[in-house]
Amino acid sequence: MLTLATVNPGEPEIFSSLQGEGPSMGRPSIFVRLSRCNLACRWCDTAYTWRFSGDNRPHRDEVAFEREDNQLSLDEAEVAALILAHSEDRLVITGGEPLLQGAALAKLVVLLKDARPAFHVEVETNGTVAPHPLLDGLVDQYNVSPKLAHSGNATDLALIPERLETWAKDPRGWFKFVVSTPADLAEIDSLQHRYGIAADHLFVMPEGTASGVLRERSRWLAEEALERGWRFTDRLHIHLYGDTRGT
């Protein structure tokens, strides 16, 4: 069984849209959002995947979601059928932290690749969890987003040296760092040099859930990316649809 986030109570968050971030930005894709996360970012814009009633981990909105309205479990075959009802040939598996659901997620992707062999599968991950061996052989792209100090997560939980070394060596690994202030850049620079992250696989992205905030931060962040040889990514879906589920 897979544990999914919902768009509305009882309705899994599976939808077609344009990929809004990273190396695939602008590509038509199918998205499936899984629930549960092992980290707790203060600025997380999908806190409904993990901050349920009784979870007191800090979040800037201080909202606690009811689990029964925001999470549901479905058989892998049911999820595969819902995904295959869409026509796009690119799948983005997001969360939460999708890799926490290793064996079940692997089973889903096996079903999808059997049905549609040309499927391009992207997995979005915080970079702390190793993929299930069966899943790993079927993933075309990992969008790895390590969480910096401003996320509020303890370093020993958010930045796992073994995992970062592995992702940095994998050509399927694309790093995306969320940036709030210029002070975050020194931490990214340190991580890049420590783990040998290739500059052309390193994206910086402004943090924000409002178009105006993103534009303001993009002005200086784009200049920093240019100067440092990094890649810049915006959050296209926020500009197009706002901070909404299923987009």
Side-chain angles (χ1 to χ4, degrees):
M1 298 287 283
L2 283 161
T3 305
L4 294 94
T6 63
V7 179
N8 297 301
E11 181 183 349
E13 192 170 354
I14 298 172
F15 59 96
S16 295
S17 188
L18 300 177
Q19 169 63 292
E21 303 171 354
S24 304
M25 188 170 71
R27 288 182 177 270
S29 305
I30 309 164
F31 289 79
V32 56
R33 188 177 302 282
L34 301 185
S35 191
R36 295 167 36 207
C37 193
N38 59 326
L39 298 181
C41 298
R42 297 181 188 277
W43 38 256
C44 178
D45 60 357
T46 58
Y48 60 91
T49 66
W50 58 269
R51 201 173 192 272
F52 303 118
S53 295
D55 188 333
N56 296 318
R57 289 179 293 176
H59 187 268
R60 66 183 174 194
D61 295 334
E62 297 185 353
V63 174
F65 296 87
E66 296 303 318
R67 186 184 297 271
E68 58 269 25
D69 291 337
N70 293 278
Q71 186 183 85
L72 78 163
S73 295
L74 291 175
D75 179 83
E76 295 87 353
E78 292 180 81
V79 178
L82 291 170
I83 292 170
L84 292 168
H86 296 255
S87 61
E88 291 80 9
D89 61 2
R90 181 176 293 260
L91 175 68
V92 180
I93 302 169
T94 187
E97 174 47 58
L99 294 180
L100 292 174
Q101 302 190 45
L105 183 55
K107 183 177 178 180
L108 171 67
V109 176
V110 167
L111 291 171
L112 293 172
K113 290 273 192 174
D114 284 347
R116 199 177 292 178
F119 238 170
H120 179 100
V121 175
E122 297 183 24
V123 174
E124 301 195 328
T125 175
N126 60 34
T128 64
V129 182
H132 188 283
L134 180 58
L135 173 68
D136 189 43
L138 299 172
V139 173
D140 299 287
Q141 180 176 322
Y142 288 105
N143 302 324
V144 185
S145 184
K147 305 310 177 190
L148 304 176
H150 69 84
S151 72
N153 293 286
T155 300
D156 61 339
L157 296 178
L159 302 174
I160 311 298
E162 178 185 357
R163 293 307 320 146
L164 294 175
E165 289 171 0
T166 300
W167 297 122
K169 293 175 183 176
D170 191 333
R172 299 172 299 166
W174 299 82
F175 283 76
K176 180 188 70 184
F177 291 96
V178 177
V179 178
S180 293
T181 72
D184 301 327
L185 301 175
E187 189 177 357
I188 297 170
D189 186 70
S190 176
L191 291 169
Q192 180 188 14
H193 287 89
R194 178 176 177 181
Y195 296 107
I197 302 170
D200 66 347
H201 274 230
L202 192 162
F203 286 79
V204 286
M205 182 183 78
E207 188 275 318
T209 55
S211 191
V213 172
L214 293 174
R215 291 298 186 213
E216 180 181 345
R217 290 175 173 168
S218 292
R219 292 188 185 97
W220 56 263
L221 183 56
E223 290 299 319
E224 290 286 352
L226 181 62
E227 182 176 333
R228 297 167 186 263
W230 297 339
R231 298 178 68 173
F232 172 87
T233 180
D234 206 342
R235 307 194 72 202
L236 179 63
H237 53 296
I238 297 294
H239 298 299
L240 293 176
Y241 311 114
D243 182 22
T244 56
R245 301 193 196 190
T247 57

